[in-house]
Amino acid sequence: MHNHFQIDYIAYNSHIRNWNAGYKLLFMAASIITVIIADNVLVSVYTLVFMGFINIFIARLSPKEYLKVMKIPAAFILLGSIAIGICFSSTPKGIFSLDIGFTYLCLTKENTSQMFSIILKAFGAVSAMYVVTLSTPVCEIIAELKKLHIPGIFIELMYLIYRYIFILFDAVHKMQDSGKSRLGYTSFKASCRSFSMMLGNLLIISLKNSRNYYNAMEARCYNGQLEFYTEKKALTRPQAILTLIYFIFFIIIKVCL
């Protein structure tokens, strides 16, 4: 199974898939908002740990898989935060400075503190988002968005783009496997040639697949509006208690620490 299919696979096999999707979306939104508004390192760490606990011990996602999906946004978060932490100066200052000829790259104590705060805040928000992403099939998320009266064209485009990205990834992986079996990546020159051929073939394959999938939708009576079957899932007492526990400790951390 390719990596890009694992998120859907995990969502369909999650032990909290039977939780109310609307509740999970609301809980996620509230958690992300509290992390951003609180602007507190302890709150960010608490959210990261609490959401990790839900994903690993309640949703029964293995720590290895959880760390694997957490690595997906890690590069963007770290690179973006480092750009915030480093500043330019005409003179050396801060705890570290590097002369690059025409200016100095400096790392100050204040910027370092801000950088780590942003990193923890971002990971806390991502961990809250994963509670939904790793336990809720996309069709259920779409159904909840429809209840919010979001224009149908945006919802359908979101769903079709989401699905078609996976289709293109699958085509890329198949072409890469085919190229490797023909020793197409044994040298830099061969890799460049294989990569250019893959890009050219990808355009043709994407156009062909888009036509085939649209024909498949029409064969299933597609009339310009996507319909999704979803199960009714009641909000249970343990779900409400979990939310209460999260916000009680959030208030304690925010007020007392």
Side-chain angles (χ1 to χ4, degrees):
M1 181 189 302
H2 293 307
N3 291 338
H4 51 276
F5 285 119
Q6 287 185 356
I7 292 179
D8 270 1
Y9 177 81
I10 291 169
Y12 276 102
N13 289 276
S14 174
H15 283 239
I16 62 173
R17 185 196 164 191
N18 61 339
W19 285 15
N20 183 279
Y23 158 78
K24 285 187 283 187
L25 284 170
L26 185 62
F27 180 50
M28 175 198 71
S31 302
I32 292 175
I33 291 171
T34 53
V35 168
I36 294 173
I37 292 177
D39 195 21
N40 185 298
V41 171
L42 291 177
V43 170
S44 300
V45 172
Y46 164 66
T47 303
L48 180 61
V49 172
F50 191 91
M51 300 305 168
F53 173 82
I54 293 177
N55 281 312
I56 295 173
F57 293 100
I58 301 180
R60 305 289 179 86
L61 180 64
S62 72
K64 183 179 179 180
E65 287 181 318
Y66 185 61
L67 290 175
K68 192 173 182 179
V69 295
M70 285 294 286
K71 286 195 299 184
I72 297 172
F76 299 99
I77 293 172
L78 294 175
L79 289 174
S81 301
I82 290 172
I84 293 173
I86 296 175
C87 64
F88 295 94
S89 175
S90 57
T91 57
K93 67 176 183 178
I95 57 178
F96 174 79
S97 60
L98 176 65
D99 186 3
I100 58 174
F102 57 93
T103 188
Y104 288 89
L105 287 178
C106 301
L107 190 65
T108 65
K109 187 176 180 180
E110 294 77 13
N111 286 358
T112 304
S113 176
Q114 184 184 17
M115 180 179 68
F116 281 109
S117 175
I118 291 172
I119 289 173
L120 291 172
K121 190 187 298 184
F123 274 113
V126 167
S127 65
M129 182 189 69
Y130 274 150
V131 170
V132 176
T133 307
L134 301 179
S135 67
T136 314
V138 68
C139 58
E140 294 186 12
I141 296 176
I142 294 294
E144 293 302 321
L145 293 177
K146 282 188 174 183
K147 293 178 182 178
L148 298 175
H149 302 290
I150 295 175
I153 184 65
F154 294 116
I155 294 175
E156 292 186 13
L157 282 174
M158 182 183 75
Y159 179 78
L160 292 173
I161 292 170
Y162 173 80
R163 285 300 179 196
Y164 205 71
I165 287 172
F166 288 172
I167 294 168
L168 293 180
F169 268 128
D170 188 51
V172 169
H173 277 281
K174 286 179 180 178
M175 286 190 287
Q176 283 181 336
D177 292 342
S178 178
K180 288 176 182 177
S181 68
R182 292 172 173 80
L183 305 179
Y185 294 91
T186 54
S187 65
F188 179 74
K189 183 179 179 181
S191 297
C192 290
R193 183 172 179 273
S194 297
F195 181 72
S196 62
M197 291 176 64
M198 184 182 70
L199 288 182
N201 290 333
L202 184 61
L203 176 61
I204 298 171
I205 291 173
S206 63
L207 292 173
K208 181 181 177 181
N209 283 345
S210 65
R211 184 166 55 250
N212 290 340
Y213 281 97
Y214 183 75
N215 291 337
M217 289 168 60
E218 283 195 320
R220 290 165 175 79
C221 303
Y222 175 67
N223 60 356
Q225 185 174 356
L226 294 175
E227 299 292 341
F228 301 92
Y229 170 76
T230 55
E231 304 173 28
K232 290 185 178 180
K233 300 174 183 178
L235 178 63
T236 62
R237 184 176 297 176
Q239 296 170 26
I241 292 173
L242 187 70
T243 306
L244 189 62
I245 291 172
Y246 171 78
F247 284 104
I248 286 175
F249 279 97
F250 162 76
I251 294 171
I252 291 173
I253 293 171
K254 181 64 178 173
V255 173
C256 301
L257 298 179

